[in-house]
């Protein structure tokens, strides 16, 4: 069953990526799906309508639940990152305050590698950030603010 | 997220977190002076200073600091603040002292081998036993010149020369009641002529060439002492005793903190906790100058103070005030780190 939902999520992401103009070759790499399976997806075959329906419900989850859920069933970090980026369209403004001590807890916590440390301070890439707030909650100095734009 | 792993080995500990980076904090109790700088700089309150007075006085067998690995976020600030390098912090195996983005206290202690005369004054003065002077002395035989010979026919085997020789250069090998060998070790003999003067039968012919002709055939280079003065960085606390006692200014010490040490002698109860805990032998009880006189209760050699604050922490009656007015540290771009380092200054 998790595999079916995973396929559903990949299907939803693939549709978005086609719309964004990526080739099937690129998409198969980005989602870690072989090309023929992808082609079936895009032609609406070999995927049950139920899986798509559940995937669409999952897409309505909060960003945090969506990310944690996707991360758990996809088992591939790059594919998870692609799905999160394509399915969650909200933009977030991120601020790391000067009270950041550069401990790197946020870097370790972020499931989609949106954070790096530079000069003992965390830097969050707002293009990647999905607004899950996990880093903000774990930050020992409450230095992270993530707001929906 | 990866949880912290704590490993305790006797009084030392390691806390480690391995995820995107491997971060590791290691504590060496032997280097720790119990100053509490780590406790005050820790941004998450994970470090607790132990009962340093009781520990230093061997009343209890415990580590000088305790860390709560659940609270520690492995930021490394304690390591940067520690004035005696008792806390080492590494990121991916590299000590942060070698990573440019991390600030670093500026302190050093060096002994210049070219200037050093290997007198060991620093080794004796160092309160942390951090200095070892390894020296090679010149050959005694190259510093004197002369001649010595014992006429075995005249010698009566009395043993007086052997007993009197201040350099233990004469040996008599008694083989039988009347059978013996007598020999002079010319590597040891300094041609002092004591044997010659003491011999009851004038069997010893000896002359000191230096006395008669001067030192023309001695090379002053043969009298040079060579060696190496080594400072154990783990034990050194940059107190400056070596610099003060060095007769040739070969030792140079730079301290990380500047400040003031103030004693309130009205409050002092002469319990001696501060004297025992001070890593720099700054504090001492004066000897009474004459019978019946009362001197100061407690005295200080402030020039050796590193303003670590260990004495203030152990004083039970708040008779000691350590002010830190300056922190010598390499710059950091991080405002929070700068603020933490500045917070070590007392107002």
């Amino acid at each position: 069953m998790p595999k079916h939902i995973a396929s559903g999520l990949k299907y939803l992401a693939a549709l978005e990526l086609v719309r964004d103009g990526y080739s099937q070759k690129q998409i198969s790499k980005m989602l870690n799906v072989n090309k023929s399976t992808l082609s079936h997806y895009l032609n609406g075959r070999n995927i049950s309508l139920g899986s798509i329906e559940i995937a669409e419900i999952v897409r309505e989850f909060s960003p945090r639940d969506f990310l944690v859920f996707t991360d758990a069933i996809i088992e591939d970090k790059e594919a998870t990152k692609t799905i999160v980026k394509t399915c969650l369209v909200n933009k977030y403004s991120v601020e790391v305050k000067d009270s950041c001590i550069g401990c790197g807890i946020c870097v370790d916590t972020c499931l989609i590698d949106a954070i790096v440390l530079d000069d003992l301070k965390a830097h969050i890439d707002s293009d990647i950030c999905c607004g899950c707030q996990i880093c903000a909650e774990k930050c020992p100095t409450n230095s992270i603010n993530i707001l929906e734009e | 997220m990866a949880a912290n792993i704590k490993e305790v080995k006797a009084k030392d500990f390691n806390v480690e977190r391995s995820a995107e980076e491997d971060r590791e904090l290691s504590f060496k109790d032997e280097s720790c002076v119990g100053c509490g700088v780590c406790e005050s700089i820790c941004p998450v309150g994970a470090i607790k200073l132990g009962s340093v007075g009781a520990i230093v006085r061997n009343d209890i067998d415990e580590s000088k600091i305790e860390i709560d690995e659940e609270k520690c976020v492995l930021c490394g600030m304690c390591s940067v603040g520690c004035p005696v390098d008792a806390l080492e912090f590494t990121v991916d195996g590299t000590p942060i002292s070698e990573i440019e983005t991390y600030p670093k206290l500026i302190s050093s202690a060096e002994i210049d081998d070219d200037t050093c005369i290997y007198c060991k004054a620093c080794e004796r003065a160092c309160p942390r036993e951090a200095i070892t002077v390894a020296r090679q002395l010149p050959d005694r035989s190259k510093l004197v010149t002369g001649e010595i010979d014992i006429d075995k026919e005249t010698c009566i085997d009395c043993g007086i020369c052997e007993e009197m020789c201040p350099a233990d250069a004469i040996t008599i090998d008694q083989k039988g009641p009347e059978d013996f060998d007598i020999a002079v070790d010319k590597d040891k003999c300094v041609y002092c002529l004591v044997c010659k003067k003491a011999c009851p039968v004038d069997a010893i012919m000896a002359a000191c060439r230096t006395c008669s002709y001067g030192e023309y055939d001695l090379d002053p280079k043969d009298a040079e002492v060579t060696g190496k003065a080594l400072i154990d960085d783990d034990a050194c606390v940059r107190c400056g005793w070596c610099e003060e006692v060095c007769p040739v200014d070969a030792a140079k010490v730079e301290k990380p903190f500047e400040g003031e040490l103030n004693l309130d002698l009205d409050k002092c109860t002469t319990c001696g906790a501060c004297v025992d805990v001070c890593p720099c032998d700054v504090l001492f009880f004066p000897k009474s100058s004459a019978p019946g006189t009362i001197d100061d209760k407690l005295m200080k050699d402030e020039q050796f103070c590193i303003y670590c604050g260990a004495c203030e922490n152990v004083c039970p009656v708040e008779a000691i005030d350590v002010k830190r007015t300056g922190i010598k540290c390499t710059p950091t771009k991080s405002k929070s780190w700068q603020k933490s380092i500045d917070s070590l200054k007392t107002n």
Side-chain angles (χ1 to χ4, degrees):
Chain A
M1 189 64 186
K3 283 217 168 109
H4 292 103
I5 306 173
S7 301
L9 287 170
K10 285 182 178 177
Y11 164 77
L12 291 183
L15 285 188
E16 295 290 338
L17 290 166
V18 167
R19 229 168 276 152
D20 291 344
Y22 288 97
S23 72
Q24 288 199 21
K25 195 176 165 189
Q26 286 169 318
I27 299 169
S28 93
K29 258 194 191 155
M30 291 160 84
L31 291 173
N32 194 16
V33 181
N34 75 48
K35 258 168 71 187
S36 70
T37 311
L38 179 71
S39 152
H40 285 313
Y41 282 180
L42 293 172
N43 291 311
R45 278 182 284 149
N46 280 14
I47 179 157
S48 69
L49 286 175
S51 306
I52 298 173
E53 235 171 77
I54 294 174
E56 275 170 345
I57 294 169
V58 172
R59 183 156 63 172
E60 299 308 314
F61 283 3
S62 71
R64 180 189 192 135
D65 292 344
F66 182 80
L67 172 64
V68 173
F69 185 86
T70 307
D71 180 66
I73 61 166
I74 296 291
E75 297 173 331
D76 177 273
K77 201 168 190 178
E78 289 309 308
T80 303
K81 282 165 77 172
T82 308
I83 292 168
V84 169
K85 193 169 164 52
T86 45
C87 292
L88 298 180
V89 288
N90 284 344
K91 284 274 159 207
Y92 294 89
S93 77
V94 293
E95 182 210 6
V96 180
K97 290 189 269 182
D98 284 342
S99 53
C100 168
I101 54 173
C103 68
I105 296 259
C106 53
V107 178
D108 291 352
T109 317
C110 181
L111 292 169
I112 49 174
D113 298 339
I115 312 177
V116 291
L117 289 183
D118 188 22
D119 284 330
L120 301 180
K121 193 177 179 191
H123 292 265
I124 304 177
D125 187 336
S126 56
D127 284 343
I128 302 176
C129 176
C130 69
C132 74
Q133 307 278 356
I134 295 175
C135 56
E137 270 171 38
K138 294 277 180 191
C139 176
T141 55
N142 292 321
S143 299
I144 302 177
N145 278 335
I146 298 176
L147 297 170
E148 198 173 331
E149 275 185 348
Chain B
M1 193 195 76
N4 288 348
I5 300 167
K6 183 178 175 183
E7 227 185 290
V8 179
K9 214 174 169 188
K11 293 179 192 172
D12 300 347
F13 64 73
N14 278 355
V15 179
E16 200 180 346
R17 183 176 89 223
S18 296
E20 289 298 312
E21 297 169 318
D22 286 340
R23 290 170 166 252
E24 188 174 356
L25 177 69
S26 327
F27 172 69
K28 274 180 290 183
D29 191 69
E30 202 182 50
S31 301
C32 175
V33 297
C35 67
V37 165
C38 52
E39 182 186 56
S40 50
I41 204 171
C42 177
V44 294
I47 299 179
K48 208 170 149 270
L49 188 64
S51 309
V52 174
I55 292 166
V56 170
R57 295 176 144 195
N58 293 322
D59 290 339
I60 46 171
D61 190 29
E62 278 175 16
S63 175
K64 293 185 202 84
I65 64 169
E66 264 177 63
I67 192 158
D68 182 344
E69 74 272 22
E70 303 278 323
K71 285 186 185 167
C72 173
V73 294
L74 288 159
C75 64
M77 270 185 199
C78 53
S79 167
V80 168
C82 178
V84 294
D85 296 336
L87 285 155
E88 187 187 54
F89 187 66
T90 60
V91 177
D92 289 335
T94 310
I96 54 169
S97 53
E98 292 167 21
I99 303 175
E100 216 177 303
T101 48
Y102 285 89
K104 191 181 158 192
L105 290 182
I106 300 167
S107 74
S108 62
E110 279 163 20
I111 296 173
D112 178 18
D113 271 334
D114 291 338
T115 321
C116 179
I117 55 170
Y118 313 105
C119 68
K120 296 197 178 191
C122 54
E123 190 180 298
R124 290 189 297 275
C126 178
R128 307 288 291 170
E129 291 175 8
I131 303 178
T132 311
V133 176
R135 66 185 179 193
Q136 188 75 44
L137 299 177
D139 285 339
R140 194 190 290 179
S141 61
K142 288 185 179 162
L143 308 183
V144 292
T145 149
E147 281 169 35
I148 183 161
D149 196 21
I150 301 175
D151 178 9
K152 213 185 142 191
E153 297 304 314
T154 318
C155 174
I156 53 167
D157 188 21
C158 67
I160 290 176
C161 57
E162 186 189 30
E163 257 181 66
M164 289 204 69
C165 176
D168 285 337
I170 303 176
T171 349
I172 296 172
D173 181 12
Q174 203 69 46
K175 290 175 174 167
E178 290 196 317
D179 185 14
F180 70 97
D181 266 340
I182 182 162
V184 179
D185 183 343
K186 291 192 175 158
D187 285 337
K188 288 183 177 169
C189 177
V190 295
Y191 308 103
C192 67
L193 313 185
V194 162
C195 55
K196 181 185 168 185
K197 289 169 194 159
C199 179
V201 291
D202 288 337
I204 303 177
M205 289 153 290
C208 167
R209 200 179 299 154
T210 313
C211 294
S212 316
Y213 306 109
E215 300 192 340
Y216 74 94
D217 56 353
L218 295 179
D219 185 350
K221 273 196 180 151
D222 287 336
E224 272 173 24
V225 179
T226 56
K228 204 160 179 49
L230 304 158
I231 299 180
D232 176 358
D233 258 343
D234 285 347
C236 172
V237 294
R238 325 286 192 230
C239 63
W241 268 101
C242 53
E243 183 174 321
E244 172 63 20
V245 299
C246 180
V248 291
D249 292 338
K252 288 274 167 294
V253 174
E254 183 166 16
K255 300 179 187 190
F257 302 147
E258 290 162 350
E260 269 173 47
L261 168 66
N262 298 311
L263 309 177
D264 185 339
L265 298 180
D266 290 337
K267 286 184 186 166
C268 176
T269 59
T270 64
C271 72
C274 56
V275 177
D276 288 346
V277 86
C278 175
C280 310
D281 282 359
V282 168
L283 298 162
F284 60 97
F285 293 125
K287 280 191 184 130
S288 178
S289 51
T293 52
I294 297 172
D295 294 296
D296 282 343
K297 288 179 185 169
L298 179 66
M299 294 180 83
K300 58 173 182 177
D301 268 332
E302 194 173 332
Q303 59 171 320
F304 306 121
C305 181
I306 57 171
Y307 307 105
C308 71
C311 54
E312 182 178 330
N313 287 339
V314 296
C315 179
V317 292
E318 293 177 12
I320 303 179
D321 177 35
V322 176
K323 281 196 167 68
R324 272 190 293 266
T325 52
I327 313 287
K328 282 183 249 166
C329 196
T330 57
T332 171
K333 288 181 185 164
S334 163
K335 289 188 177 141
S336 67
W337 277 69
Q338 193 58 55
K339 206 172 144 192
S340 292
I341 289 161
D342 290 340
S343 76
L344 296 177
K345 283 188 213 166
T346 43
N347 297 318

